[in-house]
Amino acid sequence: MKRYFCYTLIGCTFLVTILSFNFLESQGLKDVSSFPIGTAINFDQLKADAKLKKIQIENFNSITAENDMKMYNVKPNEKEYNWDKVDQMMAYAQKNKQRVFGHTLVWHSGTPDWVKEKGRKDTLWLDNFLKEYILDYVGRYKGKIEGWDVVNEALETEGGDYRKTLWYNVLGKNYIHKAFKYAHEADPNAKLFYNDFNIERDTLKLQGVLNMVKDLKSENVPISGIGFQMHIRMDIPGEVIEHALKKAAETGLLIHLSEVDIIFNKHDDTKNGGVQKYQELTEEMKIAQAEKYKNLVDIYKRVVPKEQQYGITFWGFTDRDSWVKSFFKINDWPCLFDDNLEAKPAYHSFKKALH
Ligand code: G3I
């Protein structure tokens, strides 16, 4: 009798172990995370690619338009707004219970030529356009778009100086204050972020962001959070990232890792500026990248207080579609899924770290 009982217990334990393993395997990243897990998407591509869409729905509860919500797509000319793609994305997000994060209201690279041409000649027109565009856009999606990159990359690529863009040159640094105030006026409940790159490793640039945040807060400008784009390279030490996130978290603002990918090759931050150091993705490289993704989650959870963890958003989730290759003109493998949309070791290590 006793032996029968032992065999039954072993059998049941084995069965429970298998069932729970299968259950965990069937869960997506969003199911095992205490904060939102997002990804940038190209909506037309997502609609057309069933496998891509299945992975996106299973793993992500936050969605960012890679390009569809930029000014050059939403306001392609002075006469019209192009809401169709945004409306489709909103419907998709609502159906799949995903947070929509708006990227981005004011960005030099997102500004269409017609605005640059008019704006550089007419300060008053640009000032009024900035207000009208933000009130129209944020107002249209009031209560539907949870958060915005209100201003993106307002600092120079390196160091803490303001980037000399159309917006800065014509309106002065006050365009940033105005953009946040207009966005808040249009949707008082939306979370409003300043977003930039390399601030996890360029201490001067990070200080520039922290100075800006202090300036905005001193003038009661409604900023909710800081977006670390986190387009990082394998060779950036974890301690460097940890220090930056700790300094940012000390502001008390929300911290969003907003455009995460981890690349192997080097670049100089400019278009076509990549250096093809690695010709192929080896098993060792996959394991090293998996460790790096795990470390990123560990650092985020360790140094950003829970109430400030706005989430981790990938800038695409497949090596096949990553912006890195076309922008830097290199081959690279920065994402959680490979060229065939199969999960890499990075996916499993990232998921395990979320638990
Ligand atoms: O869709 C057109 C296509 O019809 C045309 O033939 C082709 C000709 O060049 O251009 C295509 O549009 C390109 C678009 O991506 C879609 O692929 C634009 O030229 C190209 O400039 C655009 O690049 C995007 C870039 O932002 C500029 O908007 C990248 O996909 C996108 O990943 C990148 O994302 C930025 C974030 O917004 C801000 N942080 C950095 C990040 C990476 O640069």
Side-chain angles (χ1 to χ4, degrees):
M1 185 60 185
K2 206 172 168 188
R3 181 176 297 178
Y4 171 75
F5 176 73
C6 286
Y7 284 147
T8 311
L9 186 63
I10 291 165
C12 288
T13 311
F14 180 71
L15 190 62
V16 166
T17 309
I18 292 294
L19 287 174
S20 51
F21 176 78
N22 288 340
F23 173 68
L24 282 177
E25 278 302 291
S26 70
Q27 290 191 301
L29 299 175
K30 63 185 166 87
D31 302 314
V32 298
S33 176
S34 56
F35 46 75
I37 302 293
T39 183
I41 53 98
N42 171 314
F43 195 66
D44 284 341
Q45 182 190 41
L46 187 69
K47 276 191 304 188
D49 186 329
K51 187 172 180 182
L52 190 76
K53 188 174 168 182
K54 183 172 182 294
I55 296 170
Q56 200 279 333
I57 290 170
E58 285 172 354
N59 286 284
F60 302 100
N61 52 7
S62 184
I63 192 166
T64 301
E66 183 174 15
N67 298 305
D68 294 331
M69 291 180 65
K70 290 172 180 173
M71 192 185 279
Y72 61 69
N73 278 323
V74 168
K75 192 94 176 131
N77 57 61
E78 187 159 15
K79 295 183 193 57
E80 60 175 332
Y81 278 109
N82 195 354
W83 299 126
D84 180 50
K85 197 70 69 63
V86 186
D87 289 344
Q88 287 183 50
M89 200 179 118
M90 296 301 298
Y92 171 89
Q94 189 178 17
K95 182 179 171 206
N96 295 295
K97 297 185 178 51
Q98 297 183 15
R99 173 181 81 180
V100 178
F101 188 75
H103 176 83
T104 174
L105 292 174
V106 186
W107 181 40
H108 60 282
S109 292
T111 305
D113 290 342
W114 74 268
V115 173
K116 290 176 185 167
E117 270 134 46
K118 281 203 78 155
R120 68 167 64 97
K121 293 175 208 148
D122 187 338
T123 303
L124 189 60
W125 177 85
L126 190 66
D127 208 11
N128 289 332
F129 171 75
L130 177 68
K131 180 170 188 175
E132 189 182 294
Y133 178 74
I134 294 177
L135 291 180
D136 288 350
Y137 196 173
V138 178
R140 178 184 174 88
Y141 297 105
K142 180 178 180 180
K144 293 178 184 162
I145 292 183
E146 210 265 0
W148 287 92
D149 280 336
V150 175
V151 174
N152 187 46
E153 302 177 13
L155 298 185
E156 293 295 0
T157 296
E158 288 175 5
D161 292 338
Y162 283 97
R163 190 183 288 268
K164 304 306 176 280
T165 66
L166 165 88
W167 302 99
Y168 180 86
N169 292 336
V170 174
L171 301 177
K173 72 170 185 171
N174 237 21
Y175 82 90
I176 299 171
H177 304 59
K178 289 178 177 179
F180 277 91
K181 283 179 177 169
Y182 299 151
H184 184 70
E185 182 184 331
D187 185 351
N189 296 320
K191 302 287 188 299
L192 306 178
F193 286 77
Y194 173 74
N195 193 52
D196 217 325
F197 66 95
N198 289 359
I199 54 178
E200 71 286 338
R201 63 180 165 93
D202 180 335
T203 48
L204 269 179
K205 187 166 184 176
L206 174 66
Q207 195 52 55
V209 172
L210 298 176
N211 294 342
M212 180 199 299
V213 164
K214 200 170 166 203
D215 182 32
L216 292 172
K217 287 166 91 172
S218 70
E219 297 191 31
N220 298 317
V221 171
I223 179 169
S224 320
I226 297 169
F228 282 72
Q229 292 183 12
M230 214 52 95
H231 295 295
I232 58 178
R233 293 202 304 251
M234 283 293 293
D235 61 358
I236 298 175
E239 305 75 55
V240 170
I241 297 170
E242 180 158 350
H243 173 75
L245 287 180
K246 192 165 176 296
K247 295 284 287 177
E250 286 166 2
T251 62
L253 294 182
L254 296 170
I255 305 296
H256 184 201
L257 305 192
S258 58
E259 305 183 14
V260 176
D261 36 39
I262 304 183
I263 76 169
F264 292 92
N265 290 295
K266 292 194 183 310
H267 60 77
D268 61 2
D269 290 309
T270 65
K271 190 154 180 62
N272 307 329
V275 179
Q276 190 73 58
K277 186 179 170 198
Y278 300 93
Q279 300 307 324
E280 60 174 354
L281 181 64
T282 65
E283 289 311 309
E284 292 74 20
M285 288 164 71
K286 288 180 192 175
I287 299 306
Q289 187 184 48
E291 186 60 23
K292 199 76 182 167
Y293 268 112
K294 174 193 175 299
N295 291 345
L296 187 62
V297 176
D298 293 345
I299 291 167
Y300 186 68
K301 288 167 76 171
R302 186 165 61 244
V303 300
V304 179
K306 255 192 180 320
E307 64 276 10
Q308 292 173 250
Q309 295 173 2
Y310 189 73
I312 296 179
T313 296
F314 294 95
W315 207 245
F317 53 91
T318 79
D319 293 343
R320 181 193 71 182
D321 305 325
S322 173
W323 68 283
V324 164
K325 299 184 285 188
S326 55
F327 187 80
F328 294 121
K329 285 283 175 292
I330 48 172
N331 196 12
D332 210 292
W333 313 272
C335 300
L336 298 184
F337 290 80
D338 65 18
D339 291 339
N340 301 312
L341 278 58
E342 298 302 326
K344 293 155 69 179
Y347 172 83
H348 299 292
S349 66
F350 182 84
K351 184 175 179 181
K352 194 157 173 269
L354 288 172
H355 274 282

